[in-house]
Amino acid sequence: MKGEIFAIGTELLMGELHDTNSPYIAGELSLLGITVERVTQVGDNLKDLAESFSIALARSDYIFTTGGLGPTQDDLTREAIAVSLGEKTTVSSKLLEELEDWFKARDMKMPERNIKQAVLIPSARSIPNKMGTAPGWFIEHNEKIIVAMPGPPDEMQNIWVNEVLPLIKARIKKSVILTKTIKTLNLSEAEVAELVAIFFGIENPSLGIYAKQDGIHLRIISKAATKAEAMNLMGTVEEGIAKKLGSHIWGYDDDTPEEMAGRALADRGLTIASMESCTGGLLSSVLTDVPGSSDYFKGGLICYDVDSKLENGVPDNIISNYGAISRETALAMAKAARKKFKADIGIGVTGVAGPGKQERKPVGTVFAAISMDGKDRNFAMKLPPRRPIVKRRAVVAILIELTRVLKEPSRRPT
Amino acid sequence: MKGEIFAIGTELLMGELHDTNSPYIAGELSLLGITVERVTQVGDNLKDLAESFSIALARSDYIFTTGGLGPTQDDLTREAIAVSLGEKTTVSSKLLEELEDWFKARDMKMPERNIKQAVLIPSARSIPNKMGTAPGWFIEHNEKIIVAMPGPPDEMQNIWVNEVLPLIKARIKKSVILTKTIKTLNLSEAEVAELVAIFFGIENPSLGIYAKQDGIHLRIISKAATKAEAMNLMGTVEEGIAKKLGSHIWGYDDDTPEEMAGRALADRGLTIASMESCTGGLLSSVLTDVPGSSDYFKGGLICYDVDSKLENGVPDNIISNYGAISRETALAMAKAARKKFKADIGIGVTGVAGPGKQERKPVGTVFAAISMDGKDRNFAMKLPPRRPIVKRRAVVAILIELTRVLKEPSRRPT
C-alpha cells in the first residue's frame, strides 16, 4: 500500500517553522505496512492544493494532510479536497452545534468565521478534535482514503492516536507488525552496518540503521499473519544482532540513558551526587530531567576551575601529580561529590570541551569516574572536538556506564 | 521568482531522519527574494524523480535538490536530472582526476563505483565539495536554474555558503535585502501580533512572527534598490515595533540569552556562580555552553533537597519561615552561591518542575534571584506546567534578566 503526506501552510515554506508532523506520520505508517512515497510541504493556495491532491489520488492509496483547517481565509484544505473530488461542501448542523458548544464552554461567542470549520462533503465524516476547534476529515472515495488533520502537533497526535489510527487499523487486513529498536554506543554507523551486514538483505524482518545523539540505532520490523510468527521472525534477527554487537548494545525501544540510570538507582534504593567540570552541569540537568529524580539525586557541584575543585574536597596532590584533566582527578571528584552530598554513589567528570586545548590535552578528551561502596571505576573518552557534542556525548556515556555498573551483580555495594 | 526544493532519499520517508536541509535552504531563499512554493521529500526512484523535476521545471524558476549524489546504485539525482532535461551524462576526466586525488590524499584507492560521482551533463557545471566525494551540479537551462547538492547537512551548508550563494546572488539583479529579527519575552504570540498588528499589512518591509523556545520572534525583511533605502524602510518599522513592545524586547538577530549574559559579564569583568534547585543544573550547563565561559563562571551547586540547601549556606530560618520554594529562599541561595564560589554575582533558582505540586505550589511556579554588590533582585515566574518547559523557560528568563541588570548603569556594583 502506498501513502503520501501533505503538510499545508505557507509558514512551512519560510524555513522558520519545521514540519514535525510528517516525520511523525511517516514513522507510524511504516509500522502499518504503508509505504510513504512522498512528503510535500505546500502553501495555502487553492489551485496548487487541489492539483496536488488530484495527482496524489491517482498514485497513492492513502493521503494524509496536516494544516489548513483553521477558520481564516488562508485555511483551504477542506475546499481543495472538495475540488479535487468534485464534491460540494455544506455546513453540518451537528458540527456547527458542537463548535458553538466548544466556545460556550469557554464563555465565548463563536466568531462567524468559524462556521467554515463545520462544513463537510458527502464522502467525508468528521473526526472529533478535543483539543481545538478544527475537526478533521476521514474520507473514503473509490477505495482511496484521505485523512485531513489539524496542524498543531499536539492536536494532530491526539487525533491520530485516538481517532485515525483505530480507523486505519480496522481497515487494514489483520497482519501483525512488530518493531524493535536496538540502541548501541561506541561504534560508528559504518561499523554497525558492517557487523550486521548479513541481516540487511532480508526483506522480512526489515532492518533500518539510524545515527542518533545517543549512538547508532537499529530498527527491526517484522510482519506476519500471527503474532507468534512475527515474534519468531523478529527473535531470530534480534538474537543474531545481539551476538554481533554484544556489549555495545545499551538499550531497546524507548529506553533513554537517564531513565535507565534512574530506574537502576531507584530499583536498588541508591542515591547519587555529581561533581562536573567540562560538562558544566549538563549531567545533573539530564539526570533531573526524569520525573521523580528527587528520590535519588542528592545534589551536584560544578567546579570549573582548580580552586573550586580543591575547596570541594579534591586533594591537592592528585591535581598537582596528575593534572586537573586526568582519570585520577575524575575519581577524586566522584569521591568528593559522594562525601559532600552523603550519597551512595558519586560521579566525577573532567575534560576539554573546547574550543582550546587544556593541559596540552586535545579538545574532546574526557575522563569520568563512578565511586561507590566496594567499587570505583573510571574511564577515558575521546569525543569529536565540538563543545556541545563533547558535553552531550560524555553525559550519555556516563549514564550508560552507570546503568551497567548498577546492573552488575558482582558490583553490588550493599 | 519562484523556487522549489527537493529532499531526496528513501530514508527521509521512514520518519526517522528529519529533513533539516529544506528549511535551511527555504530560510536562505526568503532572504534572496525567491518565494518557495513547494518542498518535496521523495524516495530514490528514477521515474518518480525525473517526473517530479519535469513538473517543477514547468512551474518554478529555481530548483534545489539535496541528497542522491552518493556513489551507490540508489543515488539517482544526477540521472533523474539528465532524464528530465533530455541530456546525456558523460564522465568528466577533470572531475575523475579530482576524485582520485581526494582518495589518494587519504591513502585510499578510489572504489570503481565512485566513478559515477564524476559525471556531468552538457548544461551542468560541477560545484566543488571540500568535505566529501560528491560534487554538486549547477545547471542553467532555458533560463531555469537547477542546483543539486549533497545530503549531509554540513557538506550542503558548506557548498551553499561558499559556492551556491555567490552564484545565485550574482545572477539576481542587484536589489538589497535586509533582515532583522527582534526577540521578545513574556508575551504570547497573540499578544505580540496584536501589539504590532498595524505593521503586518505592509508588503515592504514584510513582517513574520515565530514562536521560539526563547520567546516570540519578529522578523522584518526590507527590499530596495539601494542599501540606504532598504535601511530606511527597515528603520521606520523597527522603531515602530520597538515603541510598541518596549522592554519586552531582549535581543536581536543571532543573540542568545547565554551569549548576551556572557558578554555582559565579560564586558564588566564580573564573575558568577549559581545555586539551582528546580532547574537541576541546566542554568550552569547553558551558561557554560558559551566558549570562554570559564573566564567568568566560577562554579555551581545543585541543591535539590532542603538538607543540601542548609549545608551550603541557606539559613534555616529563611526556609522555615518562607518555605524552600519562595522568593526569600531564592535570594538566600543566590547569596550562598556567591559567597561559596567567591563570585561577584550569585544566582539562585527554586521552584516546582513537576510532575507534582510542592509546598502546595502548582507546577510551573519558579522563584529566581540575582545577588550582587549593592543590589539584590528577585522575581517570580508562572510557567507552563511541563517539566522540560519549566526548566528551559526559567533559565532563559534568568539569563535575560541578568543581562538587563548588568546593563543598567545605576545598578553598577563596583
Side-chain angles (χ1 to χ4, degrees), chain A residues 6 11-20 22-24 26-27 30 36-43 48-49 51-52 55 59 181 210 212 217 219 221 274 276 278-282 284-286 288-294 297-305 307-308 311-312 340-342 354-355 387-388 391, chain B residues 6 11-20 22-24 26-27 30 36-43 48-49 51-52 55 59 181 210 212 217 219 221 274 276 278-282 284-286 288-294 297-305 307-308 311-312 340-342 354-355 387-388 391:
Chain A
F6 290 90
E11 70 278 15
L12 294 169
L13 302 174
M14 302 291 289
E16 287 279 346
L17 188 69
H18 287 223
D19 165 33
T20 57
S22 301
Y24 175 86
S30 76
V36 177
E37 299 223 315
R38 190 177 287 250
V39 173
T40 309
Q41 288 145 26
V42 60
D48 266 13
L49 283 170
E51 273 178 20
S52 300
I55 294 171
R59 67 185 167 206
T181 300
Y210 309 97
K212 298 278 183 176
H217 294 188
R219 187 167 72 173
I221 304 180
S274 61
E276 303 178 60
C278 63
T279 50
L282 187 65
S284 296
S285 182
V286 170
T288 58
D289 277 343
V290 181
S293 47
S294 53
F297 182 72
K298 294 283 280 181
L301 260 166
I302 299 107
C303 294
Y304 234 45
D305 56 18
D307 281 352
S308 66
E311 272 158 37
N312 285 290
K340 179 176 176 61
F341 290 100
K342 299 185 189 71
R387 194 175 181 90
K391 289 179 67 171
Chain B
F6 290 90
E11 70 278 14
L12 295 169
L13 302 173
M14 302 291 290
E16 286 279 345
L17 188 69
H18 288 223
D19 166 32
T20 57
S22 302
Y24 175 86
S30 76
V36 177
E37 299 223 314
R38 191 177 287 252
V39 173
T40 309
Q41 286 144 28
V42 60
D48 267 13
L49 284 169
E51 273 178 22
S52 301
I55 294 171
R59 67 186 167 205
T181 300
Y210 309 97
K212 298 278 182 173
H217 294 188
R219 188 168 70 173
I221 304 180
S274 60
E276 304 178 59
C278 63
T279 49
L282 187 64
S284 297
S285 182
V286 170
T288 58
D289 278 344
V290 181
S293 47
S294 53
F297 182 73
K298 294 281 282 181
L301 260 167
I302 299 108
C303 293
Y304 234 44
D305 57 17
D307 282 351
S308 64
E311 274 159 37
N312 285 290
K340 179 177 174 61
F341 290 101
K342 302 185 188 70
R387 194 174 180 89
K391 289 179 68 172

Side-chain angles (χ1 to χ4, degrees), chain A residues 143-159:
Chain A
E143 293 292 302
K144 308 272 178 156
I145 298 290
I146 306 180
V147 183
M149 294 176 282
D154 49 350
E155 293 183 30
M156 191 280 292
Q157 291 182 25
N158 186 279
I159 278 190

Side-chain angles (χ1 to χ4, degrees), chain A residues 27-34 172-182 199 202-208 210 218-239 241 253, chain B residues 14:
Chain A
E28 293 281 299
L29 293 180
S30 76
L31 306 183
L32 293 166
I34 298 174
I172 292 176
K173 291 288 162 288
K174 296 277 178 285
S175 73
V176 178
I177 296 173
L178 296 178
T179 68
K180 175 152 267 177
T181 300
I182 301 176
F199 302 108
I202 308 170
E203 196 175 324
N204 183 24
S206 68
L207 191 62
Y210 309 97
L218 288 165
R219 187 167 72 173
I220 313 170
I221 304 180
S222 75
K223 302 178 198 176
T226 67
K227 192 172 175 188
E229 208 182 322
M231 283 180 73
N232 193 30
L233 280 168
M234 167 79 72
T236 313
V237 170
E238 193 190 329
E239 255 175 56
I241 290 174
D253 294 329
Chain B
M14 302 291 290

Side-chain angles (χ1 to χ4, degrees), chain A residues 53-99:
Chain A
F53 295 155
S54 298
I55 294 171
L57 277 165
R59 67 185 167 206
S60 297
D61 306 298
Y62 285 87
I63 298 167
F64 299 88
T65 76
T66 59
L69 297 182
T72 76
Q73 285 187 324
D74 280 349
D75 293 299
L76 295 165
T77 302
R78 291 182 204 85
E79 290 76 356
I81 293 174
V83 170
S84 71
L85 297 176
E87 298 191 17
K88 280 232 160 77
T89 58
T90 49
V91 174
S92 149
S93 55
K94 182 174 161 288
L95 281 182
L96 191 61
E97 205 174 299
E98 286 173 9
L99 211 52

Side-chain angles (χ1 to χ4, degrees), chain B residues 78-79 81-83 85-91 119-123 137:
Chain B
R78 291 183 205 85
E79 290 77 357
I81 293 175
V83 170
L85 296 177
E87 298 191 15
K88 280 234 161 75
T89 58
T90 49
V91 174
V119 301
L120 278 179
I121 52 172
S123 59
W137 278 8

